[in-house]
Amino acid sequence: MSILIKNGRIITAADDYTADIFIEGETIRTIGKNLTVTADETIDASGKLVMPGGIDPHVHLDMPFMGTYSSDNYETGTRAALFGGTTTVIDFILQTQGKSLQSALNEWKGRSDNNAVGDYSFHMAVTDFNEETKKEIRHFIENEGITSFKTFMAYKGALMIDDRQMVGLMQEVKKHGGLINVHATNGDMIDFLIAKHKSEGKLSPLYHYLSQPEVTEAEASSRFADMADYTGCPGYIVHLTCEGALNAVRFATRRNQHVFVETCIQYLILDASLYENDFEGAKWVMSPPLREKKDQETLWAGLNQGLVNVVATDHCPFMWEQKLMGKDDFSKIPNGHPAIENRMELLFSEGVSKGKITLNKYVEVASTNAAKIFGMFPKKGTIAIGSDADIVILDPNETHTLSAKTHHMNVDYSAYEGRELTGKVKTVLLRGKVVIDNNECKVEKGYGQFVKRNKVTGKI
Ligand code: DUC
Ligand code: ZN
Ligand code: ZN
Ligand code: ZN
């Protein structure tokens, strides 16, 4: 099977030019002006942007969490991702405390095998680091192609590890060529504030926000950067939301340390005023919570300064019925919001169309950097000869409106209902196959493959 994409404006993290792309099988064979090859199928991309498929390295599909499961499974979640131009996602396996990493991997494989529509990989969340788990780290990196290990500095009793475990894990991960991702918030401070608010009868979603002030994130981000510096282990802070936390990273860069930073689309464009609408605010109950306008400014600037490297989603959807579990107690609202389908178009509309970031920066933070940081480059994350033909064709001028009525995520509300966007994903290719065309998905579950990743370099 071969495909010729003609006359598109090709954008990568570094380039911007008009050319044709010839795809044979799963990979890009040739790129050039006016190619005279014969292909089984020709796509006219005149007037459109042709970019690498999006990579969302932070999603939670079919995940057991807070007494329920996130509502998108591997099929619905990766399909919705494809509709929005994201061709590869990285999901999180959660170790159960007291059990092995391998048993958690087996459980996640049971839910994901033959179910994904788009490509996916796993981070391994280590929630209980001990002599037994320590022995498994090398096997994950060398044999499973899982080279990043998630840690939680919050959610005590279920997910959180203490600093003793963190340092031990970092030493082990560094030794074998991996990276540590971190949910960097001070869990003890947050637990204290949750208990305080509850004892005062303050139970609405607003108090979820007020229980996780900026300092809880700034403190943990700083502590994490110090531990990464001490051990020399590459580190990646997930869902960084605020000025205080980014300043902790600025400090680390002053000592020539590189801590990778991810923010999520919601922190760039939504703010905490959404928590003022009574229980409606539960739609945006996530951890960390939405912040202030000044933090949005800091994050956009951070992208342009190269301090914020990746825009992900932390996609963790729950049906309204599930959100209602916390009707009378904010601490029981399942944390998370749906965005896997919307990330690429939201970032294009709010970032590129509004002139906040360049097209090259867009590709860099929506795809290329994640591929580099997590050991998938140049197979994923760019348009180059030999790379997987994972390609998004986007019309930069078409406008459309986001709504739960038309989205493909398995969740009965949209966190962005009624938002008007400029720029629409028209056609998506994954490994040389057209998977989305004109609002239609052309492949079934099972098309998506597990991506085995390489050791990390700790550099981009
Ligand atoms: N934050 C969320 O909002 N959901 C899943 C896990 C997390 O850290
Ligand atoms: Zn194994
Ligand atoms: Zn988190
Ligand atoms: Zn998450």
Side-chain angles (χ1 to χ4, degrees), residues 58-60 63 92 150 152 155 183 238-239 262 287 313-316:
H58 191 158
V59 306
H60 300 282
M63 180 178 79
F92 292 84
K150 170 80 175 286
F152 291 88
Y155 299 116
H183 173 119
V238 303
H239 55 43
E262 166 199 286
S287 294
T313 58
D314 198 8
H315 177 74
C316 192

Side-chain angles (χ1 to χ4, degrees), residues 151-351:
T151 56
F152 291 88
M153 296 169 85
Y155 299 116
K156 204 173 198 167
L159 302 173
M160 180 169 151
I161 58 170
D162 62 25
D163 294 348
R164 181 183 58 85
Q165 294 178 80
M166 180 74 90
V167 171
L169 175 63
M170 281 176 160
Q171 283 184 341
E172 197 60 20
V173 166
K174 178 194 156 58
K175 194 154 80 193
H176 301 296
L179 170 146
I180 297 284
N181 315 52
V182 66
H183 173 119
T185 62
N186 184 314
D188 285 320
M189 281 175 85
I190 293 167
D191 288 345
F192 167 80
L193 286 166
I194 292 172
K196 175 174 178 293
H197 288 132
K198 285 171 60 161
S199 75
E200 293 164 357
K202 295 169 174 166
L203 299 167
S204 74
L206 176 66
Y207 291 93
H208 168 78
Y209 163 64
L210 293 173
S211 298
Q212 300 198 34
E214 180 168 1
V215 61
T216 59
E217 197 181 326
E219 185 283 325
S221 300
S222 174
R223 184 158 36 104
F224 175 79
D226 285 344
M227 290 187 282
D229 180 45
Y230 172 69
T231 58
C233 185
Y236 176 100
I237 300 177
V238 303
H239 55 43
L240 185 141
T241 69
C242 57
E243 192 181 7
L246 197 62
N247 283 342
V249 175
R250 275 186 230 285
F251 188 77
T253 63
R254 284 219 291 267
R255 61 189 176 213
N256 199 24
Q257 186 190 356
H258 203 131
V259 180
F260 296 117
V261 173
E262 166 199 286
T263 191
C264 298
I265 187 66
Q266 58 272 26
Y267 302 117
L268 288 162
I269 63 180
L270 303 178
D271 69 72
S273 61
L274 288 165
Y275 299 122
E276 284 158 20
N277 310 329
D278 268 336
F279 196 70
E280 183 79 6
K283 287 178 184 169
W284 300 279
V285 164
M286 60 184 82
S287 294
L290 300 174
R291 302 284 185 203
E292 312 292 314
K293 294 260 192 239
K294 59 107 181 152
D295 297 300
Q296 295 179 1
E297 296 299 317
T298 301
L299 294 173
W300 285 111
L303 288 171
N304 285 317
Q305 292 158 352
L307 276 177
V308 179
N309 309 107
V310 171
V311 179
T313 58
D314 198 8
H315 177 74
C316 192
F318 295 101
M319 293 287 187
W320 190 242
E321 182 78 15
Q322 294 173 290
K323 288 282 184 180
L324 286 171
M325 290 163 62
K327 181 109 196 63
D328 304 314
D329 175 357
F330 69 86
S331 70
K332 296 195 167 58
I333 301 170
N335 285 199
H337 102 306
I340 200 168
E341 183 172 358
N342 306 135
R343 177 185 70 115
M344 296 284 285
E345 290 180 335
L346 280 168
L347 185 64
F348 187 87
S349 187
E350 299 291 329

